Amino acid sequence: GTGSSILSALQDLFWLSKSKVEKQLQIISVLQWVLTFLIMGIACTLILMYILCTDCWVIAALYLAWLVFDWNTPKKGGRRSQWVRNWAIWRYFRDYFPIRLVKTHNLLTTRNYIFGYHPHGIMGLGAFCNFSTEATGVSQKFPGIRPYLATLAGNFRMPILRDYLMSGGICPVNRDSIDYILSKNGSGNAIVIVVGGAAESLNCTPGKNSVTLKNRKGFVKLALQHGADLVPVYSFGENEVYKQVIFEEGSWGRWVQKKFQKHIGFAPCIFHGRGLFSSNTWGLLPYSKPITTVVGEPITIPKTDNPSQKEVDFYHSMYVDSLVKLFDKYKSRFGLPETEVLEVN
């Protein structure tokens, strides 16, 4: 009757409202992360400088004193917080795209690992969500394994931002930090290195699957020196969430990007996603495209204190082959045609 019709309509309205609220929470969670990625370091530095010039200067002075005392902590495994890694906001972040982590093999807790993450994309959204939060269940899928996502060391010179990054298990991608985690932090550690780095980000664009890897062999040498197994990781959809202006080789734009990359460590990209209120406008929010990160089979690496170039080349070649096989095995499952080829540069 009329009563049941009204009740049904109210239920539909309630469900619609709940759905809209969840969507807005997803957008907010992604927006805060994008702003953190782009401006948090500079903003916190400026705020700290401003506080030093006010009556509350003691607060800033105390923090700076703490910063000096705590300066080397990022190089010694950081200071992760399971509470931060389990924040509900990361689950909304995951569901916005959505992001999914796929396990293909077990990892022994008696070994250490170097995960090679590909491709970089614009911001490495899949790498962050999967390995710096518990949103996709990395600790449940790989029990006893502690993931450390490695990023630019310069980020850990920024006040407040450094502490925020460390809480998620993020570490500097430098020799001191990696040596400490792989040699003085026991076993069961997995350092996630986005191997292609800034150079790879310059070529990422929707519909393109390419990695910068041919001349990236430092991570293989580190694996040999520490006897850490290499694990190829490919993130399907990482390049789909932003559109970028690609400058041709030899153009002034590419020259500027390479200069930044050489002297500062990152390459400025001209990119856009969707707007805050509409997917039909341009903005900083990534497009809500699925990202599926597949963790491949570990390659057993012997410990060699002084590996020769021949040994490095051999295991690097083995790693490249393993990554290509991983891509070929799963490409059709995650929306790519069988004819798609992974371009290795």
Side-chain angles (χ1 to χ4, degrees), residues 292-319:
T292 305
T293 303
V294 185
V295 180
E297 182 178 5
I299 302 167
T300 303
I301 303 294
K303 190 176 187 303
T304 309
D305 291 333
N306 295 297
S308 66
Q309 189 59 49
K310 185 177 180 180
E311 289 175 303
V312 172
D313 291 342
F314 173 78
Y315 285 104
H316 179 268
S317 177
M318 186 181 293
Y319 177 86

Side-chain angles (χ1 to χ4, degrees), residues 17-322:
S17 299
K18 181 180 178 181
S19 176
K20 283 185 176 181
V21 168
E22 287 186 348
K23 187 60 181 177
Q24 293 305 313
L25 287 172
Q26 291 170 11
I27 289 173
I28 291 169
S29 69
V30 175
L31 179 62
Q32 68 83 26
W33 189 87
V34 170
L35 294 177
T36 296
F37 183 91
L38 295 175
I39 66 171
M40 183 177 178
I42 294 173
C44 288
T45 302
L46 293 174
I47 291 171
L48 199 65
M49 292 173 63
Y50 170 76
I51 294 175
L52 280 172
C53 301
T54 68
D55 293 339
C56 298
W57 65 269
V58 175
I59 297 174
L62 287 172
Y63 177 80
L64 289 174
W66 160 253
L67 191 63
V68 172
F69 174 78
D70 195 54
W71 190 254
N72 289 322
T73 297
K75 299 177 184 178
K76 297 180 179 180
R79 189 170 45 247
R80 74 172 54 215
S81 166
Q82 285 302 115
W83 176 66
V84 173
R85 288 175 61 89
N86 281 286
W87 277 353
I89 195 171
W90 306 132
R91 295 192 290 276
Y92 289 111
F93 182 96
R94 171 199 65 197
D95 293 339
Y96 172 85
F97 296 92
I99 296 174
R100 179 186 172 203
L101 180 66
V102 176
K103 170 186 175 180
T104 63
H105 291 79
N106 292 323
L107 298 180
L108 299 174
T109 57
T110 54
R111 301 284 293 174
N112 283 325
Y113 301 90
I114 293 180
F115 285 17
Y117 183 92
H118 314 269
H120 183 286
I122 294 292
M123 296 185 183
L125 292 158
F128 171 80
C129 185
N130 285 308
F131 302 113
S132 294
T133 80
E134 294 296 330
T136 56
V138 63
S139 293
Q140 287 73 43
K141 290 176 180 177
F142 299 101
I145 301 298
R146 293 180 299 276
Y148 294 85
L149 177 60
T151 188
L152 290 175
N155 289 324
F156 296 89
R157 301 187 188 101
M158 301 283 191
I160 310 301
L161 175 63
R162 66 188 291 276
D163 302 289
Y164 188 42
L165 294 178
M166 284 194 291
S167 68
I170 300 177
C171 68
V173 62
N174 59 29
R175 184 61 184 263
D176 291 342
S177 178
I178 294 172
D179 283 346
Y180 183 91
I181 292 171
L182 294 180
S183 63
K184 299 178 181 179
N185 201 40
S187 59
N189 302 294
I191 296 183
V192 184
I193 300 177
V194 186
V195 177
E200 191 172 84
S201 69
L202 296 179
N203 295 314
C204 71
T205 187
K208 185 174 183 180
N209 289 283
S210 66
V211 296
T212 301
L213 184 56
K214 280 184 179 178
N215 297 316
R216 301 293 175 105
K217 300 181 180 181
F219 73 106
V220 178
K221 187 175 182 179
L222 281 169
L224 281 163
Q225 290 172 334
H226 292 284
D229 293 348
L230 288 171
V231 182
V233 179
Y234 197 84
S235 214
F236 294 90
E238 185 72 62
N239 286 346
E240 307 299 316
V241 296
Y242 279 111
K243 295 178 181 178
Q244 179 183 191
V245 177
I246 304 293
F247 293 102
E248 297 295 330
E249 289 292 338
S251 66
W252 68 269
R254 182 52 64 99
W255 179 84
V256 170
Q257 288 176 324
K258 286 188 173 181
K259 286 295 182 183
F260 263 84
Q261 179 189 338
K262 180 179 179 180
H263 297 293
I264 300 179
F266 73 93
C269 302
I270 299 178
F271 65 91
H272 73 84
R274 53 156 289 182
L276 181 60
F277 301 106
S278 171
S279 59
N280 297 321
T281 58
W282 288 12
L284 288 176
L285 279 176
Y287 294 104
S288 53
K289 303 287 185 179
I291 298 175
T292 305
T293 303
V294 185
V295 180
E297 182 178 5
I299 302 167
T300 303
I301 303 294
K303 190 176 187 303
T304 309
D305 291 333
N306 295 297
S308 66
Q309 189 59 49
K310 185 177 180 180
E311 289 175 303
V312 172
D313 291 342
F314 173 78
Y315 285 104
H316 179 268
S317 177
M318 186 181 293
Y319 177 86
V320 173
D321 290 343
S322 183

